[in-house]
Amino acid sequence: MNRNLTTAAPARRTKRAPLGKQLLALLLALMIALSCAVSASANEEEPQPAAESVVVQARQKAAFPKAVYQTIRKELNAELKTRNFAPIVNTFLREILYYKCKFYSQWSTVYPDLPDLESYLRENFLGALANARTIHGYDENSRTGRLLQAQDNAAGITDADFNVRFYYTDPEDLTPAEHLVDLEVLDHELKHCKDKKVTFRLKPFENNSDLSDIMIEGGATFHEQFVYPVTASQDYAELIANKRQTRQLAYGKSTGAGYFLYLYLYNNLVYLAGYRTVENVSLGEPIAAVRTAMAKKYGKNTADQVWAGLKKLKRLFETRRPTTDPYQYAIKLQNLIFKCINKDIKRLDDTDPAAVSRYLEAYRFYKMRILPQLYDENFDVKTDEVFDTAPYDRRLIKKIVACGVLPQLSSNEALNEMALLCLLFTSVENYGTTKRPCYVAPTVAGTKMKVTTKDVSARIQMVYADGFGNTVRLTFHFNADGWDVPDGVYI
């Protein structure tokens, strides 16, 4: 939102006065000028209002969890000695462990009910690996790799006996970030092995293939994310366009691995029912527990609507019949979920700063990565046209201020609120350059903030590590009415 913070008044014309009156006017003008000069001299001696500055240090440091990593790596190496995997497979598995450890603190911030790192790795990495019968990796540029991948028509595949094969590009030919995508592919297939009790069975999903796809493929896409840092970038998306093809909802992801719409549906189940409740389904627990958990939080009627809505959107997205309009339905479903989000914010206990802080991260991440983005025919972002999150932002800000999750960022109440609105602002756009992309901060906990206020305007600078060795600084300039589009740079 660009705003002009200064205005200029137009010049005013007057009639010429008679000569006698001109002389009198001249004497009066000299007296006024002398008075103004004395006044100006006095004003120069008066101190100008100093800029007010508030600094909030990042609460979460990017410390690598060495103890957990070394413990799990030792167990991994012992497991690999009993297997006959190719060296490239062993290397990829060790890399998956390393990057999961490196980025897990970010993911457990935006998904606040994730288990601790060691518990997570034992269940979703070592446990998954134990269920894999064989793992084969193929260079997609090799003759065998090209033939098999054409046959599988996928980046990775797991058969009914839990034999895994995946395809990769030589890491020497990729950037480090691109290589992480190949690790995501292998991790995705490992999750199918972890879900061994239900992966190839429809019965646990009430004999419903829609629920099976959401839980199995959406769940695997959910877990593979943890190999990659949390980021606001959305370089890949599955699209649902309106009938005139002038607007399209984008269900996006930072990388091209996985199933994006299924991820959206699974993410909403995790948000509405809780990670553990949803995750237990992959271990064989009744899927009805997910709907029951939603009913306890939002009422049976709302839970039933969401449950049916997630399945219906999945069907509409895949069938694409001319008589259906998945675009309008997708908007209705998201607005239904927003009612649940609104209820969550309203019942936040503003005497519990820890709870408000956890929710702040989850809510901000929801807007940044789960909420579908709206693009026009030129792929310009128009999300605010269909999803107005401003009322939820302001309601959450009242909770933040009431419980003191953050210190007061400005003594000016209106500027303090606007600084918090900047903090809650999310977008998938790049505010840097093509070669130096800068996105909104992935978490509040991992961001250092400096708010500088002078008179009726201010700026907020957010500094964070982007996960790829770069430090990003994003700057908003704002007043009580709005802010300028942020500027991002590497520092």
Side-chain angles (χ1 to χ4, degrees), residues 404-424:
V405 166
L406 294 168
Q408 189 170 2
L409 301 176
S410 172
S411 57
N412 181 308
E413 185 177 339
L415 292 179
N416 183 64
E417 179 176 331
M418 193 56 63
L420 291 171
L421 282 172
C422 290
L423 186 63
L424 289 180

Side-chain angles (χ1 to χ4, degrees), residues 39 83 89 113 120 166 199 211 234 285 331 333 345 358 392 401 422 440 450 459 461:
S39 176
R83 301 300 193 103
V89 173
D113 58 349
Y120 176 85
F166 69 98
T199 300
L211 287 175
Q234 181 176 283
E285 295 294 321
I331 292 175
L333 175 62
I345 297 174
R358 286 193 299 271
Y392 315 123
V401 172
C422 290
V440 297
K450 181 179 181 181
R459 75 177 183 190
Q461 293 179 317

Side-chain angles (χ1 to χ4, degrees), residues 7-279:
T7 58
R12 183 166 53 201
R13 295 183 180 181
T14 58
K15 292 183 180 179
R16 188 180 178 111
L19 181 59
K21 291 186 178 180
Q22 287 184 48
L23 291 174
L24 179 59
L26 179 59
L27 290 172
L28 288 172
L30 287 172
M31 293 175 65
I32 293 171
L34 179 60
S35 173
C36 289
V38 172
S39 176
S41 176
N43 287 336
E44 286 176 3
E45 294 176 1
E46 292 180 3
Q48 296 298 313
E52 172 192 356
S53 185
V54 177
V55 177
V56 182
Q57 299 293 340
R59 300 192 308 275
Q60 185 182 81
K61 303 297 182 182
F64 188 79
K66 291 182 180 178
V68 173
Y69 172 70
Q70 290 171 353
T71 297
I72 302 298
R73 183 181 168 89
K74 183 178 179 179
E75 295 181 31
L76 170 63
N77 287 335
E79 174 73 12
L80 295 180
K81 286 181 179 179
T82 69
R83 301 300 193 103
N84 193 28
F85 299 152
I88 190 70
V89 173
N90 291 342
T91 297
F92 276 30
L93 289 170
R94 292 186 179 106
E95 287 183 322
I96 287 173
L97 172 60
Y98 172 81
Y99 286 111
K100 291 264 188 181
C101 288
K102 181 177 181 180
F103 298 128
Y104 191 75
S105 63
Q106 289 187 5
W107 291 102
S108 60
T109 297
V110 298
Y111 293 120
D113 58 349
L114 284 178
D116 65 89
L117 174 60
E118 185 170 350
S119 299
Y120 176 85
L121 291 171
R122 291 194 180 283
E123 179 178 320
N124 294 284
F125 183 64
L126 292 179
L129 182 59
N131 287 344
R133 188 163 178 261
T134 64
I135 302 177
H136 294 285
Y138 299 92
D139 188 329
E140 64 182 10
N141 294 315
S142 68
R143 183 175 182 277
T144 302
R146 287 196 300 271
L147 290 172
L148 286 175
Q149 190 168 26
Q151 170 189 307
D152 292 342
N153 192 31
I157 191 168
T158 300
D159 67 21
D161 293 320
F162 297 95
N163 297 299
V164 172
R165 62 175 175 259
F166 69 98
Y167 305 95
Y168 65 91
T169 301
D170 187 338
E172 295 292 328
D173 298 330
L174 299 175
T175 66
E178 290 170 337
H179 175 56
L180 293 184
V181 181
D182 284 341
L183 300 184
E184 279 194 73
V185 171
L186 173 54
D187 193 68
H188 182 106
E189 300 309 318
L190 286 177
K191 292 306 167 291
H192 291 330
C193 297
K194 187 212 74 173
D195 299 347
K196 187 175 183 177
K197 291 182 178 180
V198 298
T199 300
F200 296 101
R201 299 176 61 220
L202 273 180
K203 187 176 180 181
F205 304 103
E206 302 171 349
N207 289 317
N208 188 313
S209 61
D210 293 320
L211 287 175
S212 173
D213 288 340
I214 293 169
M215 301 301 288
I216 297 300
E217 296 296 357
T221 306
F222 173 89
H223 284 283
E224 77 181 35
Q225 297 177 108
F226 300 171
V227 172
Y228 209 82
V230 179
T231 173
S233 66
Q234 181 176 283
D235 296 328
Y236 298 86
E238 291 178 335
L239 304 174
I240 296 179
N242 63 2
K243 290 186 176 180
R244 293 187 298 150
Q245 303 292 312
T246 57
R247 293 288 185 272
Q248 40 202 349
L249 289 170
Y251 298 86
K253 191 170 174 287
S254 301
T255 71
Y259 298 80
F260 308 154
L261 180 70
Y262 296 170
L263 174 62
Y264 165 77
L265 302 174
Y266 190 89
N267 261 323
N268 276 292
L269 288 175
V270 169
Y271 174 86
L272 297 169
Y275 167 81
R276 189 71 263 169
T277 301
V278 177
E279 189 64 19

